[in-house]
PDB file of all heavy atoms in Angstrom:
ATOM      1  N   PHE A 327      -3.264   8.194   5.606  1.00  0.00           N
ATOM      2  CA  PHE A 327      -2.141   7.673   6.463  1.00  0.00           C
ATOM      3  C   PHE A 327      -2.347   6.079   6.272  1.00  0.00           C
ATOM      4  O   PHE A 327      -3.241   5.419   7.064  1.00  0.00           O
ATOM      5  CB  PHE A 327      -2.090   8.115   7.950  1.00  0.00           C
ATOM      6  CG  PHE A 327      -1.738   9.565   7.962  1.00  0.00           C
ATOM      7  CD1 PHE A 327      -2.664  10.519   8.438  1.00  0.00           C
ATOM      8  CD2 PHE A 327      -0.540  10.049   7.638  1.00  0.00           C
ATOM      9  CE1 PHE A 327      -2.371  11.879   8.522  1.00  0.00           C
ATOM     10  CE2 PHE A 327      -0.133  11.321   7.800  1.00  0.00           C
ATOM     11  CZ  PHE A 327      -0.987  12.242   8.313  1.00  0.00           C
ATOM     12  N   HIS A 328      -1.416   5.421   5.570  1.00  0.00           N
ATOM     13  CA  HIS A 328      -1.629   4.019   5.237  1.00  0.00           C
ATOM     14  C   HIS A 328      -0.660   3.131   5.754  1.00  0.00           C
ATOM     15  O   HIS A 328       0.705   3.279   5.504  1.00  0.00           O
ATOM     16  CB  HIS A 328      -1.689   3.868   3.671  1.00  0.00           C
ATOM     17  CG  HIS A 328      -2.181   2.587   3.251  1.00  0.00           C
ATOM     18  ND1 HIS A 328      -1.212   1.537   3.058  1.00  0.00           N
ATOM     19  CD2 HIS A 328      -3.413   2.210   2.855  1.00  0.00           C
ATOM     20  CE1 HIS A 328      -1.892   0.474   2.594  1.00  0.00           C
ATOM     21  NE2 HIS A 328      -3.119   0.708   2.521  1.00  0.00           N
ATOM     22  N   ALA A 329      -0.905   2.100   6.506  1.00  0.00           N
ATOM     23  CA  ALA A 329      -0.075   1.073   7.045  1.00  0.00           C
ATOM     24  C   ALA A 329      -0.023  -0.041   6.070  1.00  0.00           C
ATOM     25  O   ALA A 329      -0.879  -0.819   5.852  1.00  0.00           O
ATOM     26  CB  ALA A 329      -0.496   0.583   8.353  1.00  0.00           C
ATOM     27  N   ASP A 330       1.240  -0.284   5.630  1.00  0.00           N
ATOM     28  CA  ASP A 330       1.509  -1.499   4.717  1.00  0.00           C
ATOM     29  C   ASP A 330       1.906  -2.605   5.618  1.00  0.00           C
ATOM     30  O   ASP A 330       2.315  -2.558   6.785  1.00  0.00           O
ATOM     31  CB  ASP A 330       2.640  -1.275   3.755  1.00  0.00           C
ATOM     32  CG  ASP A 330       2.281  -0.316   2.654  1.00  0.00           C
ATOM     33  OD1 ASP A 330       1.233   0.298   2.552  1.00  0.00           O
ATOM     34  OD2 ASP A 330       3.302  -0.207   1.815  1.00  0.00           O
ATOM     35  N   LEU A 345      -2.751   1.717  16.679  1.00  0.00           N
ATOM     36  CA  LEU A 345      -2.768   2.964  15.884  1.00  0.00           C
ATOM     37  C   LEU A 345      -4.272   3.193  15.541  1.00  0.00           C
ATOM     38  O   LEU A 345      -4.769   4.376  15.570  1.00  0.00           O
ATOM     39  CB  LEU A 345      -2.020   2.861  14.657  1.00  0.00           C
ATOM     40  CG  LEU A 345      -0.463   2.819  14.919  1.00  0.00           C
ATOM     41  CD1 LEU A 345       0.254   3.025  13.677  1.00  0.00           C
ATOM     42  CD2 LEU A 345       0.014   3.693  15.948  1.00  0.00           C
ATOM     43  N   LEU A 351      -4.334   6.374  12.496  1.00  0.00           N
ATOM     44  CA  LEU A 351      -4.092   5.675  11.300  1.00  0.00           C
ATOM     45  C   LEU A 351      -5.418   5.741  10.359  1.00  0.00           C
ATOM     46  O   LEU A 351      -6.547   5.499  10.938  1.00  0.00           O
ATOM     47  CB  LEU A 351      -3.782   4.230  11.552  1.00  0.00           C
ATOM     48  CG  LEU A 351      -3.404   3.279  10.372  1.00  0.00           C
ATOM     49  CD1 LEU A 351      -2.067   3.733   9.667  1.00  0.00           C
ATOM     50  CD2 LEU A 351      -3.279   1.834  10.904  1.00  0.00           C
ATOM     51  N   LEU A 520       7.440   6.994   5.130  1.00  0.00           N
ATOM     52  CA  LEU A 520       8.421   7.122   6.190  1.00  0.00           C
ATOM     53  C   LEU A 520       9.458   6.077   6.018  1.00  0.00           C
ATOM     54  O   LEU A 520       9.413   5.018   5.576  1.00  0.00           O
ATOM     55  CB  LEU A 520       7.612   6.810   7.531  1.00  0.00           C
ATOM     56  CG  LEU A 520       6.777   7.930   8.222  1.00  0.00           C
ATOM     57  CD1 LEU A 520       6.189   7.439   9.604  1.00  0.00           C
ATOM     58  CD2 LEU A 520       7.536   9.239   8.431  1.00  0.00           C
ATOM     59  N   PHE A 546       0.201   8.185   2.105  1.00  0.00           N
ATOM     60  CA  PHE A 546       1.292   8.360   3.018  1.00  0.00           C
ATOM     61  C   PHE A 546       1.660   7.015   3.708  1.00  0.00           C
ATOM     62  O   PHE A 546       0.880   6.579   4.559  1.00  0.00           O
ATOM     63  CB  PHE A 546       0.974   9.446   4.152  1.00  0.00           C
ATOM     64  CG  PHE A 546       2.100   9.858   4.987  1.00  0.00           C
ATOM     65  CD1 PHE A 546       2.626  11.193   4.823  1.00  0.00           C
ATOM     66  CD2 PHE A 546       2.594   9.041   5.932  1.00  0.00           C
ATOM     67  CE1 PHE A 546       3.712  11.650   5.643  1.00  0.00           C
ATOM     68  CE2 PHE A 546       3.691   9.565   6.792  1.00  0.00           C
ATOM     69  CZ  PHE A 546       4.250  10.785   6.649  1.00  0.00           C
ATOM     70  N   ILE A 547       2.768   6.435   3.389  1.00  0.00           N
ATOM     71  CA  ILE A 547       3.004   5.013   3.788  1.00  0.00           C
ATOM     72  C   ILE A 547       3.764   4.926   5.044  1.00  0.00           C
ATOM     73  O   ILE A 547       4.896   5.660   5.238  1.00  0.00           O
ATOM     74  CB  ILE A 547       3.750   4.265   2.650  1.00  0.00           C
ATOM     75  CG1 ILE A 547       3.021   4.361   1.327  1.00  0.00           C
ATOM     76  CG2 ILE A 547       4.029   2.849   2.887  1.00  0.00           C
ATOM     77  CD1 ILE A 547       3.783   3.965   0.096  1.00  0.00           C
ATOM     78  N   LEU A 548       3.433   4.065   6.042  1.00  0.00           N
ATOM     79  CA  LEU A 548       4.164   3.684   7.082  1.00  0.00           C
ATOM     80  C   LEU A 548       4.130   2.184   7.299  1.00  0.00           C
ATOM     81  O   LEU A 548       3.345   1.614   6.672  1.00  0.00           O
ATOM     82  CB  LEU A 548       3.739   4.275   8.342  1.00  0.00           C
ATOM     83  CG  LEU A 548       2.261   4.284   8.761  1.00  0.00           C
ATOM     84  CD1 LEU A 548       2.247   4.326  10.322  1.00  0.00           C
ATOM     85  CD2 LEU A 548       1.415   5.447   8.220  1.00  0.00           C
ATOM     86  N   HIS A 549       5.070   1.595   7.916  1.00  0.00           N
ATOM     87  CA  HIS A 549       5.101   0.175   8.253  1.00  0.00           C
ATOM     88  C   HIS A 549       5.269  -0.031   9.705  1.00  0.00           C
ATOM     89  O   HIS A 549       6.296  -0.393  10.155  1.00  0.00           O
ATOM     90  CB  HIS A 549       6.433  -0.457   7.498  1.00  0.00           C
ATOM     91  CG  HIS A 549       6.411  -0.334   6.051  1.00  0.00           C
ATOM     92  ND1 HIS A 549       6.608   0.823   5.445  1.00  0.00           N
ATOM     93  CD2 HIS A 549       6.043  -1.155   5.153  1.00  0.00           C
ATOM     94  CE1 HIS A 549       6.551   0.641   4.020  1.00  0.00           C
ATOM     95  NE2 HIS A 549       6.142  -0.633   3.809  1.00  0.00           N
ATOM     96  N   PRO A 550       4.225   0.321  10.412  1.00  0.00           N
ATOM     97  CA  PRO A 550       4.199   0.074  11.937  1.00  0.00           C
ATOM     98  C   PRO A 550       4.313  -1.250  12.435  1.00  0.00           C
ATOM     99  O   PRO A 550       3.671  -2.260  11.910  1.00  0.00           O
ATOM    100  CB  PRO A 550       2.978   0.795  12.430  1.00  0.00           C
ATOM    101  CG  PRO A 550       1.900   0.534  11.317  1.00  0.00           C
ATOM    102  CD  PRO A 550       2.808   0.642  10.021  1.00  0.00           C
ATOM    103  N   ASN A 570       8.256   3.879  13.169  1.00  0.00           N
ATOM    104  CA  ASN A 570       6.992   4.264  12.428  1.00  0.00           C
ATOM    105  C   ASN A 570       5.890   4.126  13.479  1.00  0.00           C
ATOM    106  O   ASN A 570       4.961   4.965  13.652  1.00  0.00           O
ATOM    107  CB  ASN A 570       6.761   3.410  11.266  1.00  0.00           C
ATOM    108  CG  ASN A 570       7.578   3.669  10.042  1.00  0.00           C
ATOM    109  OD1 ASN A 570       7.375   3.150   8.970  1.00  0.00           O
ATOM    110  ND2 ASN A 570       8.618   4.524  10.110  1.00  0.00           N
ATOM    111  N   PHE A 574       3.525   7.259  15.318  1.00  0.00           N
ATOM    112  CA  PHE A 574       2.044   7.344  15.239  1.00  0.00           C
ATOM    113  C   PHE A 574       1.290   7.150  16.555  1.00  0.00           C
ATOM    114  O   PHE A 574       0.127   7.311  16.614  1.00  0.00           O
ATOM    115  CB  PHE A 574       1.561   6.558  14.080  1.00  0.00           C
ATOM    116  CG  PHE A 574       1.552   7.287  12.804  1.00  0.00           C
ATOM    117  CD1 PHE A 574       2.814   7.476  12.172  1.00  0.00           C
ATOM    118  CD2 PHE A 574       0.430   7.726  12.245  1.00  0.00           C
ATOM    119  CE1 PHE A 574       2.824   8.172  10.875  1.00  0.00           C
ATOM    120  CE2 PHE A 574       0.377   8.415  10.977  1.00  0.00           C
ATOM    121  CZ  PHE A 574       1.636   8.635  10.388  1.00  0.00           C
TER     122      PHE A 574
END
Side-chain angles (χ1 to χ4, degrees):
F327 292 113
H328 188 274
D330 284 9
L345 301 189
L351 188 63
L520 280 183
F546 190 109
I547 303 167
L548 56 148
H549 294 81
N570 286 186
F574 272 74

